[in-house]
């Protein structure tokens, strides 16, 4: 069926290439959106709709299933799926024929993301982004998943085949009835699972002990963390463990937290040149990160390291907090004080390279380091940070880091002595093409970061931290607070014109209540 149908669309490789080029130049309905993520897809040949009544009406009118594809602008696998499938004119033609296609930025609409992430997690046992879920025209879930390759591999069905199967099944009245019945059943199950009954909090201390036991059962005593690979920093776990220790003086709680915080700070998940943490590590010992940097992670982790320093007075823990906050001040702060959302995992290896690669901004060849630092100083640095001539990535299933090195700490004692070397490499790295910046300013995430700076000022006394917190608070009040309704807008983004005043930035219509 696919072969016969595609021959009608384009009869040769040349025609297909020309069609793809033409489609990529023609904007779709996302062109007038403000979200960086939606704008990334504005020239896809897919007939994307933003979430809203126009798309729903189209689905009901044509009696077609809806695809809701959810992601965010710095999501690596979102980029991969776009390159492989959404930019492919043949795949787009199938999607446009059978589906009404909707793109959602999870950072703009966490409410939509939560609903359909719950559905996909219940159906498949896993979640993540990109999140792709097929719905009936009345928005009930049929089937979903996360990343789909363009053709079947890694035990996953190919995206084109999935779209064809869903679309063709829906066109058959008998199959459609079965799909609608299943969607109703899934919806009812989800409603029961997510229904919350209010209950009085009794404050039983046994709940805290149970929480500690749960973390002890999942704790990795060898490498730190509370799961197998992939490993996420999980700041809330440290919030709990450090407070549990302060309350009970149970040394096990402090030991688990400190071991994990130090393992992360020594691993490749931490940026040893510029400060700040990547979103997660793909391996068990925190060495190979997924390189995107999120504001909310770094805000919470800065507080974790500050509080661990309060308990231990360990200057290395203090240094990690300071370097993380310096990264935010340097690279993630709007000129008027608000904090940007994220930096991408992918970037161009050089300005002449056409294709982005994960971690290209952060990884090093040994020769590069020796050229910058000289033979003697370079070898010393390489020994301290695990750099090898043939690369040091212990986990590289997609061949992203061949011959490259991800810096991690082999010798913690040499850290202070290599400060000048790290500065020289940071300066050299700053000349590389930077990862894309998601310049949305999200009020909730800004609240986390503002709190981190305020806490840092309380603990460390550095007035620059107080100033960062105050400037961010003023920015939120002036640009995201509606005095009439006493509510905060969810997010703000500056117009494309650099000369536009901040007050003219776009504010999300969906506001937080006060």
């Amino acid at each position: 069926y696919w072969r016969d149908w595609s021959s009608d669309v384009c009869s040769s490789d040349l025609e297909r290439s020309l069609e793809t080029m033409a489609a990529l130049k023609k904007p779709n309905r996302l062109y007038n959106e403000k979200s960086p993520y939606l704008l990334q897809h504005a020239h896809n040949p897919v007939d994307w709709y933003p979430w809203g009544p126009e798309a729903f009406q189209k689905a009901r009118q044509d009696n077609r299933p809806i695809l809701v594809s959810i992601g965010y602008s710095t999501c690596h696998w979102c980029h991969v799926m776009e390159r492989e499938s959404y930019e492919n004119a043949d795949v787009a033609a199938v999607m446009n024929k059978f589906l009404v296609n909707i793109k959602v930025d999870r950072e703009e609409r966490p409410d939509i993301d939560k609903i359909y992430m719950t559905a996909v997690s219940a159906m498949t046992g896993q979640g993540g982004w990109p999140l792709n879920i097929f719905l009936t025209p009345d928005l009930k879930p049929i089937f979903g998943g996360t990343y789909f390759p363009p053709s079947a591999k890694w035990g996953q069905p190919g995206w084109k085949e999935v779209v064809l199967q869903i679309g063709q099944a829906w066109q058959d009245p008998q199959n459609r009835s079965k799909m609608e019945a299943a969607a109703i059943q899934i919806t009812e199950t989800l409603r029961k699972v997510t229904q919350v009954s209010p209950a009085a909090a009794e404050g039983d201390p046994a709940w805290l002990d149970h929480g500690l036991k749960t973390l002890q059962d999942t704790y990795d005593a060898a490498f730190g963390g509370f799961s197998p690979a992939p490993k996420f920093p999980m700041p809330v776990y440290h919030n709990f463990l450090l407070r549990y220790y302060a309350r009970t003086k149970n040394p096990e709680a402090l030991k688990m937290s400190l071991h994990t915080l130090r393992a992360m700070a020594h691993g490749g998940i931490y940026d040893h040149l510029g400060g700040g943490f990547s979103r997660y590590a793909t391996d068990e010992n925190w060495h190979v990160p997924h390189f995107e940097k999120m504001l909310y992670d770094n805000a919470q982790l800065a507080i974790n390291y500050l509080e661990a320093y309060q308990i231990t007075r360990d200057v290395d823990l203090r240094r990690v907090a300071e370097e993380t906050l310096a990264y935010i001040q340097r690279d993630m702060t709007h000129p008027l004080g608000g904090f940007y959302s994220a930096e991408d995992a992918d970037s161009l290896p050089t300005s002449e390279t056409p294709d982005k690669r994960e971690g290209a901004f952060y990884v090093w060849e040994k020769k590069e380091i020796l050229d910058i630092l000289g033979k003697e100083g370079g070898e010393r640095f390489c020994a301290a940070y695990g750099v090898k001539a043939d690369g040091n990535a212990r986990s590289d299933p997609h061949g992203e880091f061949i011959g490259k090195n991800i810096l991690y700490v082999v010798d913690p004692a040499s850290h202070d002595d290599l400060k000048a070397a790290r500065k020289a490499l940071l300066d050299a790295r700053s000349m590389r093409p930077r990862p894309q910046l998601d310049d949305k300013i999200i009020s909730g995430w800004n609240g986390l970061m503002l709190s981190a700076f305020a806490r840092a000022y309380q603990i460390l006394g550095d007035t620059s931290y107080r100033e960062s917190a105050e400037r961010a608070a003023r920015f939120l009040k002036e640009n995201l607070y509606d005095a009439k309704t006493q509510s905060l807008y969810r997010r703000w983004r500056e117009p494309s014109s650099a000369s536009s005043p901040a007050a003219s930035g776009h504010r999300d219509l969906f506001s937080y209540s006060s």
Side-chain angles (χ1 to χ4, degrees), residues 15-46:
E15 288 179 7
R16 187 156 41 245
S17 298
L18 292 173
E19 183 180 278
T20 301
M21 292 172 64
L24 287 171
K25 292 179 181 178
K26 181 181 179 181
N28 56 45
R29 289 175 177 82
L30 302 182
Y31 186 73
N32 293 318
E33 294 296 308
K34 299 297 182 182
S35 157
Y37 176 63
L38 299 188
L39 290 173
Q40 286 173 4
H41 292 268
H43 287 84
N44 295 165
V46 177

Side-chain angles (χ1 to χ4, degrees), residues 165-394:
Q165 289 176 15
I166 296 287
Q168 289 175 331
W170 187 264
Q171 290 184 340
D172 181 286
Q174 187 173 357
N175 285 332
R176 186 190 311 148
S177 296
K178 293 178 181 178
M179 294 165 76
E180 288 174 328
I184 291 171
Q185 186 175 3
I186 292 170
T187 302
E188 287 303 314
T189 300
L190 289 172
R191 184 175 289 115
K192 292 176 183 177
V193 168
T194 57
Q195 188 172 7
V196 178
S197 299
E202 298 177 6
D204 187 346
W207 294 351
L208 302 179
D209 298 335
H210 179 70
L212 179 67
K213 178 64 166 57
T214 299
L215 292 181
Q216 287 175 318
D217 291 344
T218 58
Y219 174 59
D220 182 345
F223 301 109
F226 301 91
S227 74
K231 282 186 171 176
F232 289 78
M234 303 305 292
V236 293
Y237 290 178
H238 299 286
N239 291 345
F240 171 80
L241 289 169
L242 295 174
R243 282 157 180 73
Y244 187 93
Y245 170 76
R247 177 189 288 251
T248 68
K249 296 298 183 280
N250 183 321
E252 186 65 20
L254 182 61
K255 176 183 175 182
M256 289 192 293
S257 180
L258 292 179
H259 177 43
T260 301
L261 291 173
R262 287 171 176 144
M264 291 191 301
H266 291 163
I269 192 174
Y270 182 68
D271 182 353
H272 297 284
L273 302 182
F277 287 86
S278 296
R279 187 159 175 261
Y280 64 87
T282 63
D283 60 337
E284 63 181 0
N285 55 2
W286 306 102
H287 178 210
V288 181
H290 178 43
F291 280 94
E292 64 183 324
K293 287 180 170 180
M294 311 300 294
L295 181 69
Y296 61 82
D297 283 332
N298 284 285
Q300 295 175 90
L301 286 167
I303 291 176
N304 289 159
Y305 282 88
L306 286 166
E307 292 183 344
Y309 166 72
Q310 281 186 294
I311 293 172
T312 64
R313 294 294 155 178
D314 183 333
V315 293
D316 283 335
L317 297 172
R318 171 177 175 159
R319 173 185 55 78
V320 173
E322 290 173 330
E323 291 174 354
T324 299
L325 295 172
Y327 157 66
I328 299 298
Q329 290 175 318
R330 182 184 65 244
D331 295 332
M332 297 291 286
T333 301
H334 185 280
L336 296 179
F339 304 117
Y340 299 128
S341 296
E343 286 193 297
D344 209 327
D346 300 356
S347 59
L348 296 172
T350 69
S351 57
E352 292 80 28
T353 310
D355 298 322
K356 293 182 179 182
R357 296 185 68 85
E358 170 150 18
F361 183 71
Y362 299 98
V363 298
W364 296 86
E365 293 180 358
K366 183 174 181 179
K367 182 179 182 304
E368 292 178 281
I369 295 175
L370 297 181
D371 288 345
I372 295 167
L373 300 180
K375 174 70 173 173
E376 182 178 347
E379 289 289 358
R380 186 180 173 210
F381 182 91
C382 291
Y385 286 94
V387 175
K388 299 180 180 178
D390 57 351
N392 71 359
R394 302 166 186 170

Side-chain angles (χ1 to χ4, degrees), residues 449-462:
M449 197 73 244
L450 188 159
S451 296
F453 277 109
R455 188 74 60 85
Y457 171 67
Q458 289 177 319
I459 296 169
L460 305 179
D462 186 329

Side-chain angles (χ1 to χ4, degrees), residues 65-66 123 133-137 140-144 166 170 179-180 182-183 186:
I66 294 171
M123 287 188 279
I133 186 164
F134 297 88
L135 312 176
T136 63
K140 292 183 174 64
I142 301 170
F143 170 74
I166 296 287
W170 187 264
M179 294 165 76
E180 288 174 328
I186 292 170

Side-chain angles (χ1 to χ4, degrees), residues 12 28 47 62 70 113 121 136 172-173 181 223 322 330 356 417 450 469 474 496:
S12 70
N28 56 45
D47 186 16
D62 294 353
I70 304 174
D113 178 59
S121 298
T136 63
D172 181 286
F223 301 109
E322 290 173 330
R330 182 184 65 244
K356 293 182 179 182
D417 295 339
L450 188 159
R474 283 195 297 270
S496 56

